[in-house]
Amino acid sequence: MTGSHISVSVDARTPPERVFAVLTNWPRHDEWMILTRARVTAGNGHSVGSRLEAFTGVGPAGFLDTMEITEWDPPRSVGVRHTGWPVRGTGVFRVLPREGGGSTIVWEEELDVPFGAAGRLGWQVIKPLNAVLFRFSLRRLAALSDR
């Protein structure tokens, strides 16, 4: 396994408190995170130690991402440790206040890429697509938070 970092951000007109509330409403993930449904599997979903599952895919084709919340600092950040396969590593969403109002939403992942050299090469190919999809999802989160 080797580590690979990805980070994207978008600006929102909405204050951090509102963005964070929508971001951490796990059953609503499918409204903004592309092709992904999430649910709480242990705990309340709003504290360190809570567990989540997120299925990304179309119909039955896709993968299950199991996570544990490792950081909970509303309305600033929520961090997770990915505990399944193929997604392992850590992720964090940060919601930063912008001068003059609104927020900057940052999504960072530090992923353990499997399959050695082949995995590293594959990551270089799909990383730009992942960045586009992450940014698209964050734009949807910003728009949903504005409602």
Side-chain angles (χ1 to χ4, degrees), residues 82-136:
H82 299 279
T83 59
W85 193 92
V87 182
R88 294 189 67 82
T90 59
V92 66
F93 287 98
R94 299 190 196 291
V95 186
L96 311 170
R98 281 193 0 232
E99 191 173 319
S103 308
T104 297
I105 311 165
V106 180
W107 183 357
E108 294 183 84
E109 297 279 350
E110 188 67 44
L111 302 174
D112 296 329
V113 178
F115 308 122
R120 286 190 300 276
L121 178 61
W123 175 249
Q124 293 310 310
V125 171
I126 66 168
K127 182 178 178 178
L129 175 61
N130 271 3
V132 167
L133 295 175
F134 284 12
R135 199 169 287 108
F136 177 77

